[in-house]
Amino acid sequence: MNTITLGSSGIRCQSVGLGTWAMGGWMWGGNDDAAAIDAIRASLDAGVQLIDTAPAYGLGHAETLVGRALEGRREQAIVATKCGLVWHTRQGRHFFDEAGQAVHRHLGRDSIFHEVEQSLARLRTDYIDLYITHWQDETTPVAETMAALLDLKRQGRIRAIGVSNVDAATLAEYLRHGPVDAIQERYSLIDREIESTLMPLCREHGVGILGYSSLALGLLAGPIDPGRQFTGDDQRAGNPRFGAANRARLAAFFDELEPLRRQLDCPFSQLMIAWTTRPGGVSVALCGARDARQATQNARAALLRLSPSHIAAIDAAARRHLQALD
């Protein structure tokens, strides 16, 4: 499998990681705990190491599932979790409500130290490999946030520092106060904004890039049944990208790529994941999975090698069919 190093941390991992947002249940139409645990363990069995989670994914539920799944296998995993979306305090700015709790964006020192203890308990571990500021808090100076993270690193409670959902100016401010080992940002064939904003800065400073939503909430996993409905609190239910016109555009896109898919003998999902980790792409593609089959299929994308001609064919098909995506 393709492997990378996260910044200056010395932590090495495969180019495909497992994302656990859907396992928390929130905004994904519920979840199946047993299937989620099976998915985490199947990912490890398939060679995936990086397991990405966050307290906000089900108000601690996803972290709890990760902790249960890794029991007896902690040394096989590189655990990434986050801080900065809190419900134990009203400090910072209100961001959203989840399960009746008001969640605020807050990255103050005391709050971070509280959060890390809660995460360690839920994850059933005494250290976190990569600790990421989930969303940025304009009410707290970056210097205070970074000082807290560096102290946690010195204490051995975290091994590496990451930031997520940042702009280039905020990332530069973090870098003024210490090393950042990775950023985590949305990146897929149809979400490429960071190529011109954050990627150049990351390469200049040796910062790893974790791409989330590599399959664009499942939009790029393959043709979507025209009759499929997304219901309940599933965020895709109200997302115009999943409308009928876009499903037709995607069907034409996948039709054009069908010969390439057959040539490489892989599902479309693996083709799209491998594209995100091509040279010039992200270091690690984070892919969600709700069961062991999905987890294993996604993991195998790390074995797929795309040639320059394969990449050019995918880019050309995207230009023809996906530029008008709503």
Side-chain angles (χ1 to χ4, degrees):
M1 287 187 173
N2 293 322
T3 60
I4 61 94
T5 301
L6 293 176
S8 60
S9 69
I11 297 173
R12 291 192 61 77
C13 63
Q14 283 81 6
S15 61
V16 174
L18 174 67
T20 65
W21 181 9
M23 295 179 186
W26 174 61
M27 295 183 72
W28 287 92
N31 68 309
D32 180 326
D33 287 358
I37 290 172
D38 285 346
I40 296 167
R41 292 173 176 165
S43 293
L44 294 177
D45 291 341
V48 166
Q49 291 175 301
L50 183 62
I51 310 296
D52 179 80
T53 189
Y57 301 164
L59 298 180
H61 191 61
E63 282 189 326
T64 298
L65 292 176
V66 171
R68 288 169 56 189
L70 295 184
E71 193 165 10
R73 303 185 68 173
R74 174 64 181 91
E75 72 286 350
Q76 297 177 33
I78 295 165
V79 176
T81 194
K82 306 178 185 75
C83 60
L85 293 186
V86 300
W87 57 95
H88 69 277
T89 178
R90 295 299 179 96
Q91 293 178 277
R93 296 281 175 84
H94 178 261
F95 195 25
F96 55 79
D97 293 327
E98 180 179 349
Q101 292 280 4
V103 177
H104 287 62
R105 288 160 65 159
H106 183 53
L107 287 167
R109 180 183 180 85
D110 291 345
S111 183
I112 289 174
F113 273 74
H114 170 84
E115 281 202 86
V116 79
E117 293 303 325
Q118 297 296 306
S119 290
L120 289 168
R122 288 189 289 259
L123 292 165
R124 304 185 187 189
T125 186
D126 57 4
Y127 68 97
I128 292 163
D129 296 286
L130 177 63
Y131 203 42
I132 302 166
T133 58
H134 199 159
W135 285 84
Q136 302 311 305
D137 166 27
E138 60 197 28
T139 70
T140 302
V142 167
E144 177 182 338
T145 300
M146 196 61 168
L149 296 173
L150 290 168
D151 281 347
L152 288 175
K153 190 174 178 180
R154 280 189 285 268
Q155 293 168 9
R157 286 192 276 180
I158 68 174
R159 297 177 62 201
I161 294 169
V163 298
S164 186
N165 300 303
V166 292
D167 56 27
T170 305
L171 175 57
E173 180 66 8
Y174 272 97
L175 288 165
R176 283 185 58 239
H177 298 284
V180 174
D181 296 297
I183 64 166
Q184 185 177 134
E185 300 293 330
R186 184 173 73 163
Y187 186 73
S188 73
L189 183 62
I190 57 174
D191 296 298
R192 303 178 62 170
E193 295 82 2
I194 67 170
E195 289 180 352
S196 61
T197 57
L198 290 165
M199 281 186 172
L201 188 59
C202 287
R203 295 195 172 110
E204 179 184 350
H205 292 274
V207 178
I209 305 170
L210 311 183
Y212 70 77
S213 204
S214 301
L215 294 174
L217 304 179
L219 200 67
L220 296 175
I224 301 173
D225 185 337
R228 182 176 178 185
Q229 298 294 316
F230 299 99
T231 59
D233 76 339
D234 192 319
Q235 62 186 301
R236 294 170 291 183
N239 189 329
R241 277 188 166 181
F242 287 82
N246 284 342
R247 293 189 193 198
R249 293 182 183 107
L250 282 157
F253 168 73
F254 287 121
D255 280 348
E256 182 170 333
L257 289 183
E258 175 61 17
L260 177 59
R261 187 202 66 77
R262 286 200 308 269
Q263 176 190 339
L264 296 175
D265 191 23
C266 67
F268 284 118
S269 58
Q270 290 179 7
L271 200 59
M272 296 296 98
I273 294 165
W275 179 92
T276 69
T277 60
R278 75 202 184 287
V282 296
S283 312
V284 179
L286 297 174
C287 306
R290 305 186 78 155
D291 57 41
R293 181 195 64 80
Q294 290 178 353
T296 301
Q297 181 171 290
N298 290 343
R300 288 176 179 155
L303 299 169
L304 186 60
R305 301 291 193 273
L306 297 181
S307 70
S309 63
H310 297 151
I311 295 165
I314 294 168
D315 285 336
R319 284 193 297 271
R320 276 189 282 273
H321 301 291
L322 304 186
Q323 284 189 338
L325 227 61
D326 297 332

